[in-house]
Amino acid sequence: MYHFSGNLIVVMLLTAVAGGLWLILDITTALLFYSVSLLLLVAYHLYYLTVLDKWLQIQDPISTAVPDGSGIWGDVFARLARLIRIQSQSNQQLSQAFERLRRATSAMPEGVIILDESDRIEWCNPVSEKHFGIDFKRDADQQITFLVRQQQFAEYLLTHNYSEPLVVKQARNQELILSLQLVPYGDKQKLLISRDITSLERVETMRRDFVANVSHELRTPLTVIGGFFETAAEENWISSEMGKRALILMTDQTSRMQRLVEDLLTLSRLENTQNQVQDENININEILYELYNEAESLSAGRHHINLTLNTDAKLRGSADELRSAFSNLVTNAIRYTSDGGKVDLRWSYENGKSVFTVQDSGIGIDKEHIPRLAERFYRIDLSRSQETGGTGLGLAIVKHILSRHQAHLEIVSEPGKGSSFSVWFPENRTVVVENG
Ligand code: ADP
């Protein structure tokens, strides 16, 4: 402001002097004086403009001396120098922070890949390069599914349900087992975190094999014992009342053990990663109709059972597995609902997703138990579960089957009022039959 008015005063002064000269001498002298002095003023500014331009063309203007300038130009150079210094300091701080962050993510034992909204690689750390056999310099901007080609990964990416990690074998090195977790963040970007769980998986395989082997070994002796008890009861081998009661008790416990062994073997089969899910087109309406009939015979008229088929949608997956999962939910609804209660089975299609719901008016479940229901042997009331013939493995089996089909279980319940178990299937598992 000061220099602007300074310049204005100079121009006004020159105008006044030119006016004076016009009055004292003549107009030609006045005009000559005026033009020459204005020309000198323009030359002065042009000179400093050239100095400024030269200074700004230097790559690092701050490292060279700030040009000298008189009047307004001295101030302009000083202010610009200050601005450039502040700018370069914050640039330096930013790049130091970025370098610290880069070093920290590089030192992480996990692989980290940043994916943009079209799932292209924006950045990755060295561990992820090792995990997926990629090279950031070569593969930046590449679609992740071109590099991580496992079918399960493509399906996992499509489901948009990343609450559980995905376990895959590395494509080139089958010995390496990775746990992959996608974390959406920011503006539709995703973090792909990979962990090497090879040794963990080895211990887990040993545990699974052990349980499977023990269950398998127990199967035959249990069948023999069960058969023996059955024959003893049929042929009245035991005559005393106490003996008969003991025989009934032993028969019950043997068949409970047999159910346990069968459930453990089912879980082992489901946990086996070699055991891929089949890809059948399943007529769910047919299965639900069968389950409805089975529910009627299990209930033996004690409950009001309804079946509502709102859609013809089919599912892609394993018919046996889904039948077993749905059957578990239906059986539980009947077992945990008192006589006279209601059990509704519903198959619907909503916004691209299909959903199977079993709703009962039974005993219900307290909120605190809901997250733990699918754990093995988790029971709210052990005596009630045993009384109704439960093994405590039913929902664990359901959870495994559903996760193999990228489906998820939603449980809504209120003690004393009843429960609703809904199984949501993703779009890519649902086959909608167009009518007409
Ligand atoms: P179980 O063989 O003991 O029934 P599950 O794994 O099938 O084992 O179920 C775990 C627990 O969840 C059960 O012990 C029961 O307490 C509870 N549960 C399951 N379904 C229902 C239901 N429909 N209503 C109330 N409680 C239920």
Side-chain angles (χ1 to χ4, degrees), residues 215 218-219 222 257-266:
S215 311
L218 282 174
R219 213 180 193 179
L222 278 174
M257 268 155 76
Q258 280 176 316
R259 281 200 304 277
L260 254 170
V261 163
E262 286 311 317
D263 278 0
L264 283 172
L265 282 170
T266 307

Side-chain angles (χ1 to χ4, degrees), residues 263 328-329 331-337 358 360 362-365 372-382 384-386 388-398 413 418-421:
D263 278 0
N328 253 307
L329 297 178
T331 316
N332 275 354
I334 290 171
R335 284 166 47 213
Y336 295 104
T337 301
V358 183
D360 64 54
I363 59 170
I365 306 156
R372 300 196 56 193
L373 283 189
E375 286 174 21
R376 285 157 202 229
F377 301 114
Y378 187 84
R379 275 100 153 217
I380 301 165
D381 179 352
L382 183 63
R384 167 88 196 213
S385 171
Q386 287 183 349
T388 56
T391 59
L393 293 171
L395 288 180
I397 293 177
V398 171
S413 188
S419 320
S420 136
F421 287 71

